[in-house]
Amino acid sequence: MLLSQYRRDRDSSSKEQQNETTPKNKGERFRQVQEQPERKQKRSDERDNADAEKSKRARDDRNNDQGRERTPPPRRVINVIMGGLQNCKDSVRSIKEYERKTLTSQKWGSSSSIKNKPDESYEISFTEEDTKGLDKPHNDPLVVELRIGDCEVTRVLVDTGSSVDLIFSKTLQRMDVKDYELKPCKRPLTSFARDTTMTIGTVKLPVYVARITKIVKFVVIDSLAIYNVILGTPWIHSMKVIPSTYHQCIKFPTPSGTYTLKGDQRLSRTCFVTEQKLRNSSRTCLIAK
């Protein structure tokens, strides 16, 4: 009795569900037929988007893994050793005190930046227009021509890696600078290869550019060189110069705006020829000995 009642209830409920899902007229049946492909396309698009997002994440993970594999962890840190600083004495104690000043500036701020006036702010930028007329690609140093003293001096290297402004004794001879103008001073200059060269003195000469005159204290050395003068960070910082070897020019602020001094790319490459000749001549001397 109970079993037959259960079967009747089950059959009646299944018929009601079927009546609910079955369209009542032809219009409803036609609408359901139209909506069914749209629902299928929507589900297909959702699956495609999910698959695309999953493959993108997998590709990014692989790229990150490859990047980590290409960049091995460093074994040691190589620091740069600078010599010939002009802002302190040539002693370990003085150089360490000069180094500690950076910590004070980082903590409390530079006193010079506080004194700057608001109208002294400036912005210097480089664009591809600055490379117009250059032979590219290139790997040329930045060589310029400047008025030093009463002479137009060519082959002047602008070198951010030099902590001193250098001038060579033969250059002074060609400029007709007298010996009494040279202040004797022997001081070691060390290159990155730890080769030491002793200076023979210092000389102060005016450097003119863009109607701005700076009295530069040059360190004088007596050795063969492919350049006449090397302007290092003392002159670069005093002029607030921003050099760019890629654009082959330097830019710095002036009262009338930003001034651009172009380098001489051809002269820069001529220095390579001079360097090659000097190298060959020194090799010939070694063979002769």
Side-chain angles (χ1 to χ4, degrees), residues 127-138 140 245-249 262-267 269:
T127 64
E128 281 298 317
E129 187 67 21
D130 295 315
T131 64
K132 188 176 181 180
L134 295 179
D135 176 45
K136 295 183 295 184
H138 72 85
D140 304 321
T245 55
Y246 172 74
H247 298 91
Q248 283 291 291
C249 64
K262 292 284 187 179
D264 192 332
Q265 190 180 31
R266 182 180 179 184
L267 186 60
R269 296 185 179 185

Side-chain angles (χ1 to χ4, degrees), residues 8-48:
R8 284 196 300 270
D9 294 341
R10 185 184 60 185
D11 294 339
S12 62
S13 62
S14 62
K15 288 180 181 180
E16 290 176 359
Q17 292 177 358
Q18 185 176 3
N19 293 332
E20 290 177 359
T21 57
T22 303
K24 298 179 180 180
N25 51 47
K26 293 182 179 181
E28 186 177 353
R29 187 185 304 113
F30 178 74
R31 186 168 55 253
Q32 289 182 357
V33 171
Q34 281 187 325
E35 291 176 354
Q36 186 174 6
E38 293 179 359
R39 288 195 295 269
K40 290 182 177 179
Q41 182 65 32
K42 185 178 180 180
R43 288 194 296 269
S44 178
D45 293 341
E46 291 176 353
R47 285 195 300 269
D48 293 342

Side-chain angles (χ1 to χ4, degrees), residues 42-286:
K42 185 178 180 180
R43 288 194 296 269
S44 178
D45 293 341
E46 291 176 353
R47 285 195 300 269
D48 293 342
N49 293 334
D51 294 340
E53 184 67 23
K54 186 177 180 181
S55 61
K56 183 178 181 299
R57 287 196 300 267
R59 185 168 59 254
D60 293 341
D61 293 340
R62 286 195 301 269
N63 292 336
N64 293 334
D65 293 339
Q66 291 176 0
R68 285 191 290 269
E69 291 174 359
R70 285 194 300 266
T71 308
R75 292 185 294 111
R76 61 176 67 92
V77 177
I78 307 299
N79 295 313
V80 177
I81 301 175
M82 296 181 63
L85 293 172
Q86 292 187 351
N87 296 330
C88 62
K89 296 180 181 179
D90 190 19
S91 66
V92 175
R93 181 178 179 179
S94 181
I95 294 174
K96 284 186 175 181
E97 183 179 353
Y98 181 68
E99 177 190 8
R100 283 193 291 269
K101 289 182 179 179
T102 60
L103 300 176
T104 305
S105 298
Q106 291 173 0
K107 186 175 181 180
W108 304 105
S110 175
S111 58
S112 60
S113 63
I114 298 174
K115 296 178 182 178
N116 286 340
K117 299 178 182 179
D119 57 354
E120 290 182 352
S121 61
Y122 58 92
E123 181 179 345
I124 293 178
S125 60
F126 295 85
T127 64
E128 281 298 317
E129 187 67 21
D130 295 315
T131 64
K132 188 176 181 180
L134 295 179
D135 176 45
K136 295 183 295 184
H138 72 85
N139 190 28
D140 304 321
L142 183 53
V143 179
V144 299
E145 180 178 340
L146 288 176
R147 171 83 179 275
I148 301 177
D150 57 355
C151 302
E152 289 290 335
V153 181
T154 62
R155 297 193 181 191
V156 178
L157 175 67
V158 180
D159 184 9
T160 58
S162 175
S163 60
V164 294
D165 298 318
L166 290 173
I167 193 168
F168 298 90
S169 57
K170 287 191 175 182
T171 304
L172 292 177
Q173 293 173 9
R174 290 193 293 269
M175 293 175 63
D176 198 22
V177 176
K178 305 303 181 183
D179 292 340
Y180 64 82
E181 299 181 57
L182 181 66
K183 181 180 179 181
C185 176
K186 288 191 175 183
R187 188 175 181 178
L189 295 179
T190 306
S191 68
F192 69 92
R194 294 189 297 179
D195 296 329
T196 302
T197 302
M198 298 298 296
T199 66
I200 62 175
T202 60
V203 63
K204 292 184 178 181
L205 296 171
V207 177
Y208 307 93
V209 57
R211 298 182 180 180
I212 298 177
T213 304
K214 288 288 184 181
I215 304 299
V216 178
K217 182 180 180 181
F218 287 99
V219 173
V220 185
I221 60 176
D222 184 14
S223 64
L224 296 176
I226 61 177
Y227 304 107
N228 292 319
V229 174
I230 297 178
L231 288 175
T233 52
W235 179 81
I236 291 173
H237 293 173
S238 67
M239 292 286 293
K240 299 180 180 179
V241 163
I242 310 296
S244 174
T245 55
Y246 172 74
H247 298 91
Q248 283 291 291
C249 64
I250 64 174
K251 296 187 179 186
F252 55 90
T254 66
S256 58
T258 300
Y259 184 83
T260 301
L261 177 63
K262 292 284 187 179
D264 192 332
Q265 190 180 31
R266 182 180 179 184
L267 186 60
S268 176
R269 296 185 179 185
T270 303
C271 294
F272 289 142
V273 179
T274 306
E275 189 272 336
Q276 182 69 22
K277 291 180 179 179
L278 287 175
R279 197 190 322 157
N280 291 339
S281 63
S282 62
R283 188 183 299 117
T284 303
C285 293
L286 290 174

